[in-house]
Amino acid sequence: MKKEQQMKKEQHNKKEPQAKNVQHSKKGLQNNTQHKKDPQSKGQYKKGQQPNRGQQTAKLELKQTFPLTIKRLGINGEGVGYFKRQVVFVPGALPGEEIVAEATKVHPKFAEAKIKKIRKQSEHRIKPLCPVFDQCGGCQLQHLGYDQQLNEKRDIVIQALERHTKLKIDELDIRPTIGMENPWGYRNKSQFQVGEKDGKVLAGLYGLNSHNLINIEQCAVQHPSTTKATEVVKGILQDLKIPIYNEKKHKGLVRTIVARTGVQTGELQIVLITTKKELPKKDIIIQEIKKRLPEVNSIVQNINGEKTSVIFGSETATLEGSDFIQETLGDLQFELSARTFFQLNPEQTVKLYNEAKAAARLTGKEKLVDAYCGVGTIGLWMADEAGEVRGMDVIPESIEDAKKNADKHGVKHAKFYLGKAEELLPKWLKEGWRPDVIVVDPPRTGCDEEFLKTVLKIKPKTFVYVSCNPSTLAKDIMTLGSQYKVEYIQPVDMFPHTSQIESVTRLELK
């Protein structure tokens, strides 16, 4: 994966809830969108709880305090309650709690509030491990016991199905969430913004709903080696008095420190994202990084001079060492360059891919399509039990890397094609090739509408949907519902202590 990969616009906004303030990206590329609330949670009601439109809803006023019982968690991890038939979202509140709330925003269909007082506390409330948990906002659920997090995340999937489908939820097989034995220190990559205050270099993430930089010296969900690396590089910038980027003035040089580790290989990559190519004291910076972090295999500079919240720019240069680091998943090995997309939680990724493989129920004869294939991870993961694998993606670099990965692992019956599934699948059908199984792992926006229409025409016997967004999963299930039935849904917790939830859904042709 030495070649630079180009981002698939915002549609590939996926998979990486940055512990604290993140950027998600998908399939081949950079993880860069800031953590934002999912607007689909607003106005979200469970069946039977939606206000009666024929009855007048009492409108809350700004700063009004009122009693509120929290009924459930919303898809952004906030508590959800109802005050005189008006839905209210309260960050930090937990199901079963009775609180005094203060309205912070009042919208026509819902309100937002903060906790003034907890009258009755949830038995599952715990003390957050992170000292800046309430400031940073990336880990929305550290105050909730982990076993209960798994229960609530399953419920978030159920809520999405209730809102966006007509399925009989009680008759669905929605399985218990698969979690981690040790749900800490799992993130293999950090992207910390750099700033300066009172002459001191800071590195961290912007606070929840603000542009105040929260200095993070320890992050409970980051792999320890990435935290150490960021602190060391921050110290080097401080010692050498390297100009630090000021976001408000749009001046300065170093704007982001990216650290990624190969959890299985122990390799470490440092990326300095700068506003200009010229890096003062570059040789000294490299020497100091090598001296203080001898485990570093790759030192890279990326240039991003734009006034933007996107982290990576288009130009990247290797300053020292390799262009990439190595990482393994199961029996597969991958080369990770600075902007290559790779799952942030390798341990859970193995579980997720194994669930997808189990859902495909391969016998060794099936023709399998890996749509949105990226660098081919899922297709190659399933290849040993499939008769033939064909993957496609619209990013040329991803397809090149997928082909290299197949060659490297000796997988001769897996082929990867540049193009859209909705164009390639009909072409293959005319040539007499019809897939038995289609597996898809789309961005947060879900599957493309034309792709789903194509699936309904091609009619594979099995459709395996790997999802990172319950709302778009539910909508896509509804679209496929005329010809496909849901056999089961298996939630998988890829990002403990956040509100994010992945799932694997097996759909069968009726």
Side-chain angles (χ1 to χ4, degrees):
M1 302 181 188
K2 292 184 180 180
K3 261 194 171 180
E4 274 306 317
Q5 301 185 331
Q6 199 62 30
M7 193 168 191
K8 196 189 283 185
K9 294 186 180 179
E10 263 319 290
Q11 70 193 20
H12 280 284
N13 206 11
K14 155 107 173 151
K15 297 287 187 201
E16 300 199 4
Q18 175 89 5
K20 314 299 178 175
N21 179 2
V22 304
Q23 298 202 336
H24 309 285
S25 218
K26 164 83 172 142
K27 301 298 191 188
L29 320 202
Q30 69 201 65
N31 337 45
N32 302 347
T33 23
Q34 290 199 347
H35 175 80
K36 295 180 180 178
K37 285 192 174 184
D38 189 330
Q40 295 181 80
S41 83
K42 301 308 180 188
Q44 183 171 352
Y45 303 94
K46 277 192 172 182
K47 286 181 179 178
Q49 290 184 320
Q50 188 165 349
N52 187 331
R53 293 179 181 178
Q55 296 178 334
Q56 187 175 359
T57 301
K59 186 177 180 181
L60 286 165
E61 295 182 359
L62 199 62
K63 294 188 177 181
Q64 178 181 341
T65 58
F66 54 96
L68 192 69
T69 299
I70 305 302
K71 299 295 185 181
R72 67 183 196 275
L73 285 184
I75 61 176
N76 296 305
E78 68 276 79
V80 181
Y82 299 86
F83 179 72
K84 296 184 178 178
R85 300 187 181 89
Q86 185 170 16
V87 65
V88 183
F89 297 91
V90 188
L94 296 175
E97 292 188 332
E98 296 174 5
I99 68 170
V100 176
E102 179 182 319
T104 55
K105 290 183 181 179
V106 178
H107 306 268
K109 294 184 178 180
F110 64 91
E112 297 178 52
K114 64 181 180 181
I115 299 172
K116 289 288 286 184
K117 181 181 179 181
I118 300 178
R119 288 176 169 170
K120 179 184 176 183
Q121 182 172 286
S122 167
E123 61 180 317
H124 302 294
R125 180 178 283 275
I126 61 174
K127 183 179 179 180
L129 191 61
C130 178
V132 294
F133 164 72
D134 57 344
Q135 300 173 49
C136 165
C139 294
Q140 304 85 24
L141 300 178
Q142 274 195 30
H143 61 312
L144 179 62
Y146 187 59
D147 287 346
Q148 190 60 23
Q149 285 185 33
L150 300 180
N151 294 334
E152 296 294 346
K153 289 188 177 190
R154 177 179 179 273
D155 185 62
I156 286 172
V157 174
I158 291 172
Q159 289 180 47
L161 294 169
E162 288 176 332
R163 177 165 175 77
H164 298 295
T165 76
K166 297 178 182 178
L167 297 173
K168 295 179 180 178
I169 307 301
D170 293 343
E171 297 178 5
L172 288 180
D173 180 6
I174 305 174
R175 299 177 177 180
T177 305
I178 296 173
M180 296 185 74
E181 290 183 14
N182 177 21
W184 301 101
Y186 59 84
R187 292 179 61 91
N188 60 10
K189 181 180 181 181
S190 65
Q191 299 180 147
F192 281 6
Q193 313 304 318
V194 183
E196 195 170 19
K197 185 177 182 181
D198 301 327
K200 182 182 178 182
V201 177
L202 311 177
L205 296 158
Y206 292 115
L208 184 62
N209 299 325
S210 80
H211 271 270
N212 296 322
L213 187 64
I214 307 298
N215 189 47
I216 300 172
E217 296 180 355
Q218 291 291 331
C219 179
V221 297
Q222 282 292 155
H223 192 283
S225 65
T226 65
T227 303
K228 175 188 172 184
T230 302
E231 282 297 295
V232 168
V233 174
K234 183 173 71 173
I236 292 171
L237 298 177
Q238 177 87 51
D239 294 344
L240 297 178
K241 295 181 169 52
I242 304 300
I244 302 302
Y245 179 66
N246 184 308
E247 185 192 33
K248 292 181 180 178
K249 296 180 179 179
H250 194 50
K251 292 182 180 180
L253 184 64
V254 180
R255 57 193 302 167
T256 311
I257 299 169
V258 179
R260 173 149 62 179
T261 184
V263 175
Q264 297 300 319
T265 64
E267 296 186 2
L268 185 64
Q269 182 180 67
I270 301 293
V271 184
L272 291 177
I273 298 180
T274 60
T275 56
K276 298 176 183 178
K277 188 173 183 178
E278 295 72 26
L279 181 59
K281 303 179 183 178
K282 179 171 70 174
D283 292 341
I284 302 176
I285 292 172
I286 293 170
Q287 290 172 14
E288 287 298 314
I289 291 176
K290 290 171 65 177
K291 177 182 173 182
R292 303 187 199 185
L293 291 168
E295 63 269 35
V296 169
N297 304 85
S298 172
I299 305 174
V300 176
Q301 180 187 5
N302 176 269
I303 296 91
N304 183 1
E306 300 297 320
K307 196 171 184 178
T308 174
S309 60
V310 172
I311 290 181
F312 279 84
S314 59
E315 184 180 354
T316 303
T318 300
L319 302 181
E320 181 75 13
S322 175
D323 295 343
F324 53 82
I325 60 173
Q326 302 274 355
E327 180 60 301
T328 59
L329 283 180
D331 296 328
L332 302 179
Q333 188 173 63
F334 299 91
E335 296 174 353
L336 309 180
S337 57
R339 295 174 59 202
T340 301
F341 170 82
F342 195 73
Q343 296 284 5
L344 289 176
N345 187 341
E347 179 182 333
Q348 291 299 92
T349 298
V350 169
K351 296 178 184 178
L352 182 74
Y353 288 178
N354 280 340
E355 287 299 324
K357 192 173 187 177
R361 294 181 186 168
L362 302 171
T363 65
K365 299 178 181 179
E366 289 81 6
K367 298 173 184 175
L368 182 142
V369 163
D370 177 9
Y372 300 84
C373 72
V375 297
T377 47
I378 291 183
L380 293 175
W381 194 266
M382 297 185 173
D384 63 333
E385 294 182 10
E388 181 182 356
V389 176
R390 293 189 183 186
M392 73 280 288
D393 206 299
V394 297
I395 300 175
E397 292 84 357
S398 293
I399 294 301
E400 288 180 21
D401 285 336
K403 290 177 179 178
K404 289 177 184 177
N405 286 330
D407 290 341
K408 181 169 62 176
H409 294 97
V411 183
K412 299 186 181 301
H413 62 296
K415 305 295 181 184
F416 296 94
Y417 301 82
L418 181 64
K420 296 181 179 180
E422 54 266 31
E423 296 170 358
L424 290 172
L425 285 170
K427 176 186 173 185
W428 294 340
L429 187 62
K430 286 182 181 179
E431 296 170 354
W433 194 91
R434 182 195 299 269
D436 302 297
V437 179
I438 292 180
V439 58
V440 62
D441 183 11
R444 287 189 61 78
T445 49
C447 293
D448 184 272
E449 184 178 353
E450 289 303 314
F451 167 70
L452 292 178
K453 289 179 181 178
T454 303
V455 170
L456 292 173
K457 292 177 183 177
I458 300 295
K459 297 183 176 63
K461 296 176 183 177
T462 304
F463 189 87
V464 179
Y465 195 132
V466 181
S467 167
C468 67
N469 186 338
S471 295
T472 51
L473 167 68
K475 291 174 183 178
D476 291 347
I477 284 176
M478 195 63 187
T479 300
L480 294 169
S482 61
Q483 294 183 27
Y484 286 86
K485 64 177 181 179
V486 175
E487 182 171 339
Y488 68 83
I489 300 175
Q490 175 62 70
V492 180
D493 187 23
M494 290 285 285
F495 302 104
H497 313 296
T498 77
S499 58
Q500 300 293 318
I501 181 64
E502 316 282 313
S503 61
V504 174
T505 301
R506 174 179 163 85
L507 296 109
E508 292 181 333
L509 192 65
K510 293 180 179 178

